[in-house]
Amino acid sequence: MSTKTVVEEVIASLSRHGITEIFGQSLPSAFFLAAEKAGIRQVMYRTENAGGAMADGASRISGRISVIGAQNGPAATLLVPPMTEAMLASIPMLVVVQDVPTETRDRNAFQELDHFELFSGCAKWIRQLNDPSRAADYVDMAITAATSGRPGPVVLLLPKDVMITESKSEPFIRDAKLGNFPLDRPRPERRATEEAAGLILAAKNPIVIAGGGVQRSGAFNELACLQDHFSIPVATTNMGKGSVAETHPLSLGVVGNVMGKRSTTHAHRDMIAESDLVVLLGNRTNENGTDGWKLIPEGAKVIHVDIDSTEIGRTYEALRLVGDVRSALEDLTEALDAIGVHKVRLEQRSELEAKIAQARESSREILEDLVDFDAEPLRPERVMAELDRRLANDSIVVADASYSTIWMSNYLTARTPGQKFLSPRGMAGLGWGFPMALGAKIVQPSSDVICVTGDGGFGHVWQELETAVRENISLTVLLLNNSILGFQKHAELVQFSETTTAIEFAEVDHTAIARAAGAHGIRVETVGQLTAALNESIGSGRVTLIEIITDADAFPPVTSWEARAEVLPA
């Protein structure tokens, strides 16, 4: 009878949970040697920062926990930023970190660090595996912690000597498959659900604002039913984009801090202000999603559905529906049908649809009046319009933080419930969009993946172009090059009427960087060049970077900046 080492038991457990790839850079060596022998692909990143973002993107698309491995000490510290994003965005991630051998612990061993303290603010669960008989036990505990309740990152520390120790028999056989999330789907109390149905029946102007929790729960069909069957308008946050089809006559689009005059949702603000009931679904009610906590009108009643009970009532007192969003919507639909809400709401539908259509048209007219879509240097709004025409229902768009997210959420259209628009809005770290897009493509290679990023953000992760080429991760990168830190410049003008000196970049030929890494690079300065480049690159099966020279004075419709419009470029 052959025996296994502890690390081989760890890998066998990961295989049982459906893990087919692990992000890493060959350390811990024993861990990755065992993984590759077991048929698990190692996706080698260039930096741990980017590797964590890849794992994040993979989880968001696959609905399965991702795994990343790293060496103790400095490598582990670089995982803190992407883990923090995953923590705030509710993304499960198993971080496997090699630790110093047990006999050298607390003796200033090479790269020794207190990993418990390091990860304390960005992990749900941290354990060190010291007992050779509990390898599968600890892996299952880690994955259960990551994928249950509000999902998030977890850490398993593997001492170097324990990994290669012979594994001992475990007292309990484990064959459960726990890798998909959400692992459990708890339901709100029936009494609360019935009360919520009653509030919706009594409301004159109810509205739903769907957050990222709808995406995590996969509650797309259930939300589409709530919207269509009960004639309730639905808006989303940045992270909730794609939860419903924005082409639906009762869809408002993305709301929050991006509803300025050039926004596609600018004219919907009156409808939100008139709402007497707001249903929050998987929504953290954070600053951006609520436009500085000014979006929800005073006096409106609130129903809040969330898997995390601590998020309910954080800012707005609400009827508490604690549970999985999909399960909650299933029960709420049943309760609404039981009291005849469909018929009551249907009487208002034509008027609602007309009002929303009129607001959409008004927003479009204002946008076209304020933005020259034929201007050169190119306007980002025109770039997004050209991209929007080329998106399929299964296309995946990943935007970097800062302006890139706002361009995507405002000017691209979700055409079907569940369409994937990813952005690092948990912590909103600049530069995470590109590696997140790589992770998305790895787990869904059949879909076209397009990354929207700026030159400021892309400067953090240039090196991962080599990763994309080496790992054969074909995608298209739209690099909006305005040669400045745009958000920084315009925010400083709004706040101080002047800027610091750390705004402008020297000229960089990003297409040369792409070619140096083995990718295809295209420079775009005109509309004709843009359309040709998009047609050539999307679906081409290769790594393509399109560097688009854009207007440095262009800024997205940040609502709070309207009051200081005179200090911003025209």
Side-chain angles (χ1 to χ4, degrees), residues 6 10 72 95 97-106 112-116 125-132 134-135 137-139 141-142 154-163:
V6 168
V10 168
N72 52 288
V95 178
V97 176
Q98 176 174 291
D99 214 341
V100 298
T102 53
E103 65 178 11
T104 67
R105 192 178 298 161
D106 296 325
E112 183 178 13
L113 186 66
D114 184 345
H115 296 103
F116 288 92
W125 180 98
I126 311 168
R127 296 291 189 277
Q128 188 176 68
L129 176 57
N130 293 309
D131 185 343
R134 301 194 65 190
D137 189 7
Y138 270 62
V139 170
M141 281 195 290
V154 296
V155 180
L156 181 60
L157 303 172
L158 300 179
K160 189 174 182 180
D161 57 327
V162 174
M163 277 193 284

Side-chain angles (χ1 to χ4, degrees), residues 221-483:
N221 293 334
E222 291 73 18
L223 179 54
C225 177
L226 182 76
Q227 177 184 43
D228 195 56
H229 187 60
F230 300 109
S231 303
I232 302 177
V234 176
T236 76
T237 64
N238 281 310
M239 288 189 69
K241 184 178 178 67
S243 297
V244 292
E246 292 171 337
T247 53
H248 192 283
L250 293 175
S251 288
L252 304 187
V254 175
V255 299
N257 69 327
V258 290
M259 299 178 71
K261 290 180 180 177
R262 288 171 287 106
S263 169
T264 54
T265 58
H266 176 69
H268 291 311
R269 201 170 186 99
D270 287 344
M271 175 176 280
I272 298 172
E274 294 166 1
S275 61
D276 57 349
L277 176 67
V278 179
V279 182
L280 300 171
L281 300 177
N283 187 327
R284 293 189 298 143
T285 62
N286 65 6
E287 183 175 6
N288 287 344
T290 61
D291 193 18
W293 304 285
K294 298 189 294 288
L295 186 67
I296 295 177
E298 291 184 19
K301 294 181 179 179
V302 177
I303 299 169
H304 198 160
V305 181
D306 207 283
I307 191 72
D308 185 349
S309 64
T310 65
E311 290 295 347
I312 300 175
R314 180 184 289 276
T315 296
Y316 304 100
E317 286 198 352
L319 175 60
R320 302 170 60 84
L321 269 64
V322 180
D324 170 64
V325 175
R326 193 170 88 183
S327 296
L329 288 178
E330 290 172 351
D331 292 353
L332 183 59
T333 296
E334 183 180 323
L336 290 168
D337 268 332
I339 58 175
V341 173
H342 167 72
K343 183 177 180 181
V344 173
R345 295 290 308 159
L346 190 61
E347 295 173 359
Q348 304 178 42
R349 180 153 182 161
S350 295
E351 181 182 350
L352 267 176
E353 289 185 357
K355 189 174 184 179
I356 292 171
Q358 183 179 4
R360 284 180 182 173
E361 180 62 18
S362 177
S363 295
R364 185 190 64 79
E365 289 175 354
I366 294 171
L367 173 62
E368 292 184 352
D369 183 56
L370 294 176
V371 175
D372 182 357
F373 277 75
D374 295 320
E376 294 176 5
L378 294 172
R379 293 282 305 195
E381 297 93 338
R382 178 61 184 265
V383 176
M384 294 299 101
E386 294 296 336
L387 174 59
D388 197 42
R389 296 186 185 103
R390 291 161 174 79
L391 293 180
N393 288 350
D394 68 341
S395 297
I396 299 170
V397 183
V398 185
D400 206 346
S402 193
Y403 278 3
S404 297
T405 293
I406 307 177
W407 300 130
M408 176 186 75
S409 53
N410 250 278
Y411 305 115
L412 298 183
T413 307
R415 294 172 172 80
T416 185
Q419 190 167 357
K420 299 301 184 184
F421 296 87
L422 274 58
S423 57
R425 300 307 300 178
M427 184 56 68
L430 201 58
W432 295 344
F434 177 50
M436 192 176 284
L438 296 180
K441 182 66 175 183
I442 286 168
V443 297
Q444 195 162 313
S446 61
S447 292
D448 292 327
V449 175
I450 301 97
C451 174
V452 178
T453 185
D455 52 329
F458 195 68
H460 290 258
V461 288
W462 288 345
Q463 70 282 349
E464 302 303 335
L465 278 169
E466 185 276 332
T467 299
V469 172
R470 170 175 33 80
E471 297 284 349
N472 193 28
I473 309 170
S474 61
L475 79 170
T476 299
V477 179
L478 303 188
L479 192 155
L480 308 180
N481 184 358
N482 59 6
S483 295

